[in-house]
Amino acid sequence: MRRHLLAALAAVTLVVTACSGQLPTTPEPRAGLPVSQQSEREVERLLPPAPQDAGPVEIVEGFLRANEGFASDDDVSRTYLTSELANSWVPTAAVMVYGGDATVSLTDDDEVSVQLEVIGRLDADGRLTEQVPQTSTQTFGLTEVDGATRISTFPDDAGLWLSDTAFERAFRPTVLSYLNAQRDVFVPELRWLADSEGLPTAITRAQLAPLPPHLEGALTTAATEEVRLATPAVPVDPSTLVATVNLQGATLAQDDSRADDLSSQLAHSLLGLSSVAGVDVQVAGRSLPLEGVEGPITGATELPYTEVEREVAQVLLRVGEQLTVADPSQYALRDLEPAEDVELPGVELRWTGLAVTEDLEDLAAVSVDGAAFRRWRGEQVHTNEGIGDDLTPPGVDPQGAFWLGGIHRSSRTPRVWVVDETRLDAVARPVEADWLEAEDRIERVAISPDGSRVVMVVRQTVGQDAQEPPPHRLLLSGIVRDASGRPRELTAPLPLVPHLRDVVAAHWSAAGELVIVGQRQDDTEPQPFRLELGGWLQHLGSLPGLVDAVPVPRATGVQVIARTEDGGVYVPEGQSGWQPVRNGDQVVVPGD
């Protein structure tokens, strides 16, 4: 008894010691690290191996609990399997994330069924798809091995079964870095990778893989098929925290530009780990030099690419035909005097969906009937009535061009157009999107802050016999540009938030994040959400009558301003509340 007590006390001492370095030492509140820079786990859960005398239900329950430790050196989840299944099982082939508890029941002497409410799935590349909660029944076959019950079969191509809490512990949201060569900026791609000592290796392998299909042609990567790791792993020196990435690729050392790009991508992604303070990229054991850097790369400022940073100091508030400048940093959005060189026009009520460039010099809107497009620049006004029908509110890209969706007047098929920023009377040029179907109708268009991607709200028309209108889809597509930087086509899209049955609005709040207004399966009216692309949807708190929620990037974070159908303008209050501050018909964020 005394031995057990001493062992328990020792275990408690070890846990407290491991955690003590994370405890605050001052009473002042401190901001946490960004999601891509959270420190790795320091305390592991005790996951026991399969017992010798457990029954079928206990074995399956133990296996599900042990799934969390699949990436650890002493992975015990395979001890619940027969040797044949243990050797063929690939845990990360497919990950099923479930909410609540799993219901495990014996259906036969050698068969156990597991009922789960699946809320998300992770593919082999670490891409997460949240879904409408759906009950799934999984069947496990069992057999006896040397007098012990073990799992012999489970569904084909199955990987891991993890509760939502276990998933957050077992996988880490990690940002990969792709390149927008036209602007020399990084474009983020969120992946969920196993949170283990092998995370630097996993990040490197993911960064060396080809571009995702929906970004091909829109972004670039210096990784090619011939470039791969020359060693099985990426070691991190425990004293210097320098990660050494040793590559092999015959042409890499001979192409300085591509070598710089690849070094930048790998360093930017790996430096997101708190366990990595420097990155040494090598080819065949020799360090690749990066201009202006001696030794390992230790900071983002040493790289030729930067992150997209956007800060909005003022917004426009439309009330009737009048526009005023408001200060988003003030709780009540108090009015500001516009700059002397800024002239805000009166906007007649027949024009809606107002958009404005970052400098407030170029404004655009569409007619209420969706048949005309108008631009204002100072005292100059130009109206284009020949583009198409059902025009969407304009979106603005970083170059100051306006984007529109709609339908072609003769073919009645969906189209996307861009109106260049150069001339007020510039024509609307079509942007090819041959993946759009004839029945699709584009409702919203929003361009990413780096100008390389577009999100569109798309609905599909239905016949008159339909009981209810079809849901809107949110699609993410890459923008392919020509040599002069003009948009040429949109890549085949990646569907976002398929578990939302309707989407009303979508705005970019950062290079890898959106603010969305939509409805989940059980919602009775639109709700505001924040979505980090590739992550879980975050509810921002219910607001009755919500019609739009616009993000305002600030130095202190993103400020969301909501608007209701009765003209109320709201700002967040507390964790999930809203405070009315003004009345208005539209809140316009420059550059959105």
Side-chain angles (χ1 to χ4, degrees), residues 107-267:
T107 55
D108 203 342
D109 290 341
D110 58 355
E111 187 176 274
V112 168
S113 70
V114 178
Q115 196 172 70
L116 310 162
E117 186 179 55
V118 182
I119 60 174
R121 297 177 186 271
L122 191 72
D123 68 15
D125 293 320
R127 298 187 183 94
L128 175 68
T129 301
E130 192 172 354
Q131 66 178 58
V132 175
Q134 183 178 8
T135 300
S136 173
T137 300
Q138 307 286 309
T139 301
F140 292 74
L142 297 104
T143 191
E144 190 172 298
V145 179
D146 296 331
T149 301
R150 295 292 180 261
I151 299 171
S152 57
T153 61
F154 44 57
D156 292 340
D157 301 323
L160 296 170
W161 293 266
L162 294 171
S163 68
D164 50 358
T165 54
F167 175 77
E168 298 286 347
R169 289 191 296 260
F171 284 87
R172 173 179 172 148
T174 306
V175 177
L176 302 184
S177 304
Y178 297 119
L179 304 175
N180 180 340
Q182 293 173 332
R183 295 189 61 198
D184 290 337
V185 295
F186 290 111
V187 178
E189 169 91 351
L190 185 69
R191 302 287 180 85
W192 294 79
L193 303 176
D195 192 1
S196 67
E197 291 183 359
L199 188 54
T201 304
I203 291 175
T204 301
R205 292 189 184 279
Q207 192 68 78
L208 293 176
L211 279 167
H214 69 283
L215 297 178
E216 287 183 5
L219 299 178
T220 63
T221 178
T224 61
E225 291 184 357
E226 63 154 9
V227 178
R228 55 189 182 275
L229 273 174
T231 54
V234 174
V236 179
D237 188 289
S239 59
T240 63
L241 300 185
V242 171
T244 301
V245 182
N246 193 5
L247 304 173
Q248 58 182 14
T251 62
L252 191 59
Q254 303 165 3
D255 188 337
D256 292 343
S257 177
R258 190 158 70 90
D260 285 355
D261 287 352
L262 187 56
S263 294
S264 297
Q265 289 179 260
L266 291 168

Side-chain angles (χ1 to χ4, degrees), residues 458-491:
V458 178
R459 66 178 173 87
Q460 193 168 51
T461 57
V462 294
Q464 296 180 350
D465 295 334
Q467 296 295 317
E468 60 182 30
H472 294 70
R473 296 174 295 152
L474 188 64
L475 305 177
L476 172 67
S477 181
I479 300 172
V480 180
R481 298 177 182 266
D482 62 20
S484 62
R486 294 174 20 147
R488 179 168 53 85
E489 65 176 296
L490 302 181
T491 62

Side-chain angles (χ1 to χ4, degrees), residues 367-384:
S367 57
V368 173
D369 62 5
F373 171 70
R374 173 169 286 191
R375 290 176 71 177
W376 295 262
R377 187 179 290 171
E379 296 181 353
Q380 303 178 47
V381 181
H382 180 265
T383 303
N384 188 332

Side-chain angles (χ1 to χ4, degrees), residues 361-363 375-381 421-424:
E361 292 186 359
D362 210 348
L363 290 84
R375 290 176 71 177
W376 295 262
R377 187 179 290 171
E379 296 181 353
Q380 303 178 47
V381 181
E421 74 283 0
T422 49
R423 294 173 46 185
L424 190 68

Side-chain angles (χ1 to χ4, degrees), residues 487-556:
R488 179 168 53 85
E489 65 176 296
L490 302 181
T491 62
L494 175 72
L496 300 176
V497 290
H499 60 302
L500 291 187
R501 64 182 175 90
D502 202 6
V503 178
V504 177
H507 305 270
W508 292 86
S509 53
E513 185 180 87
L514 302 172
V515 169
I516 302 169
V517 176
Q519 289 181 245
R520 296 164 297 193
Q521 199 71 16
D522 297 329
D523 291 329
T524 57
E525 60 180 347
Q527 304 289 319
F529 302 96
R530 188 192 305 270
L531 175 69
E532 185 173 11
L533 296 178
W536 299 102
L537 200 64
Q538 177 189 352
H539 188 223
L540 298 180
S542 297
L543 180 60
L546 178 69
V547 294
D548 201 4
V550 295
V552 184
R554 304 285 300 157
T556 55

Side-chain angles (χ1 to χ4, degrees), residues 59-91:
I59 287 295
V60 173
E61 289 176 336
F63 173 70
L64 294 177
R65 286 192 297 268
N67 271 198
E68 179 183 336
F70 76 97
S72 61
D73 291 338
D74 58 345
D75 172 27
V76 299
S77 54
R78 295 179 193 270
T79 65
Y80 291 83
L81 312 177
T82 62
S83 58
E84 292 82 3
L85 184 57
N87 290 332
S88 62
W89 180 46
V90 181

